[in-house]
Amino acid sequence: MNYNLNHIRELESESIYVLREVAAQFENPVLMFSGGKDSILMVYLSYKAFYPAKIPFPLLHIDTGHNFEETIKFRDELVEKYGAKLIVGSVEEAIKSRLVIEEKGINASRNGLQTAVLLDELEKGKYDAALGGARRDEEKARAKERFFSHRDEFGQWDPKNQRPELWNIFNGTHHLGEHFRIFPISNWTELDVWQYLAAEGVELPSLYFSHEREVFERDGTLLANSEFIPKKPDEKVFTEKVRCRTIGDVTCTGVWRSEASTVEDIIEEIATTRLTERGGRTDDKRSETSMEDRKKKGYF
């Protein structure tokens, strides 16, 4: 399959420039890792940006305890492959210590509880920059982000008070206790990500490829059958050929009916679909401003 190599190489160059700026401007950065394709891309770009040295940022995974098994397995293999340092913030432990209170009810999810755990880990590690794999095309709130996105001493984000970024000049100046969220792949699209991963031959979790899985339908979204999701009496489990387009907490990550078994199949599927990437994320559907509300409080 032919890709626009000039375009994705320009994106690669821009992202690597941002990563190197972070290493130059900040004393103690950390790379947020979810196990999804965008954070895998971030790890790979960091590897390329600083080769032959090791990736200079530790990886921080906020573990809800309700992950797909494949995600954790792939995470551990990736960390070993790149010789990276992994830090795990546990939502399960945060619930036990009463830092957060677990949601109850049929639609309960631990996804929103990640925010307090993330802020706690950033404070404990005294990190002054947290790199994330968010892209502007994903969601309207993420489209408002700069490459260098300031957070106050409470980890909160003010979308109306961001610094200008003219000619790729980034200002990482901050007061004690404040930090920045850094988004090196802001200008990438979902299709760009997949074309780059294909061109580079980057390994990916099996969840992204078509496979048979037990699922059930809730409010028009297919969810993986899991012990972590209580079911209504009328919700029946059946087997379907599906894959993930995004990967997160199993309780809120919808799966898609798909026959795409290779990266090339996925690229063709994305290029022709009218469905948005996060259309199956039930946490985004709680309100019209769900993502922006969470981001203002310190979410990814």
Side-chain angles (χ1 to χ4, degrees), residues 246-262:
T246 65
I247 296 177
D249 187 295
V250 70
T251 62
C252 62
T253 300
V255 294
W256 303 74
R257 290 183 176 91
S258 176
E259 296 288 336
S261 58
T262 66

Side-chain angles (χ1 to χ4, degrees), residues 24-272:
Q25 291 196 38
F26 295 93
E27 293 183 7
N28 192 24
V30 67
L31 196 161
M32 296 185 290
F33 184 80
S34 69
K37 67 184 184 307
D38 296 323
S39 59
I40 293 167
L41 171 62
M42 286 284 294
V43 172
Y44 183 77
L45 288 170
S46 298
Y47 164 74
K48 290 195 77 171
F50 300 102
Y51 183 84
K54 287 189 175 182
I55 297 172
F57 323 117
L59 275 54
L60 173 59
H61 180 214
I62 305 302
D63 183 1
T64 65
H66 289 173
N67 294 289
F68 289 95
E69 290 181 7
E70 295 93 330
T71 301
I72 302 302
K73 182 176 182 292
F74 187 89
R75 178 200 72 184
D76 294 342
E77 290 173 351
L78 188 80
V79 167
E80 184 177 355
K81 175 181 178 180
Y82 289 109
K85 178 183 177 182
L86 175 66
I87 301 159
V88 179
S90 171
V91 173
E92 183 79 43
E93 292 302 316
I95 292 169
K96 292 177 181 177
S97 67
R98 307 296 289 176
L99 175 65
V100 295
I101 299 174
E102 186 151 28
E103 292 182 358
K104 304 296 182 184
I106 201 75
N107 291 310
S109 174
R110 290 183 174 180
N111 201 55
L113 304 183
Q114 294 178 89
T115 299
V117 180
L118 169 62
L119 294 175
D120 187 54
E121 289 295 331
L122 294 178
E123 184 178 358
K124 284 194 298 187
K126 294 182 170 51
Y127 300 113
D128 54 359
L131 296 121
R135 309 185 325 269
R136 293 189 182 120
D137 77 317
E138 284 183 274
E139 205 274 342
K140 57 189 177 183
R142 286 183 166 165
K144 298 178 181 180
E145 291 278 18
R146 299 282 199 269
F147 281 102
F148 278 35
S149 186
H150 178 263
R151 296 299 195 270
D152 65 19
E153 64 271 26
F154 302 106
Q156 296 178 325
W157 173 58
D158 181 0
K160 295 181 180 179
N161 185 27
Q162 297 192 77
R163 298 172 183 180
E165 292 181 343
L166 305 175
W167 305 290
N168 281 350
I169 297 174
F170 304 118
N171 181 1
T173 305
H174 58 284
H175 297 294
L176 184 67
E178 299 175 344
H179 74 277
F180 274 79
R181 302 290 171 86
I182 314 291
F183 302 108
I185 62 169
S186 289
N187 287 335
W188 297 57
T189 66
E190 182 186 12
L191 190 58
D192 293 332
V193 171
W194 280 108
Q195 289 182 339
Y196 181 82
L197 295 172
E200 293 289 300
V202 178
E203 291 183 38
L204 293 158
S206 59
L207 286 168
Y208 279 116
F209 303 98
S210 179
H211 59 283
E212 287 194 347
R213 182 176 291 271
E214 287 190 344
V215 298
F216 67 98
E217 187 169 348
R218 177 176 294 174
D219 300 326
T221 299
L222 287 182
L223 293 168
N225 182 34
S226 168
E227 61 180 311
F228 305 127
I229 313 177
K231 294 169 191 64
K232 302 173 185 177
D234 61 337
E235 291 176 335
K236 307 300 181 186
V237 174
F238 55 96
T239 300
E240 189 72 72
K241 256 194 157 182
V242 297
R243 73 176 191 88
C244 293
R245 277 179 75 183
T246 65
I247 296 177
D249 187 295
V250 70
T251 62
C252 62
T253 300
V255 294
W256 303 74
R257 290 183 176 91
S258 176
E259 296 288 336
S261 58
T262 66
V263 175
E264 287 72 22
D265 291 341
I266 291 171
I267 291 170
E268 184 176 351
E269 183 181 86
I270 293 168
T272 57

Side-chain angles (χ1 to χ4, degrees), residues 272-288:
T272 57
T273 187
R274 292 176 177 267
L275 299 171
T276 63
E277 180 180 3
R278 293 185 67 93
R281 290 295 292 264
T282 60
D283 50 328
D284 288 354
K285 299 177 182 179
R286 292 193 172 192
S287 76
E288 284 292 319

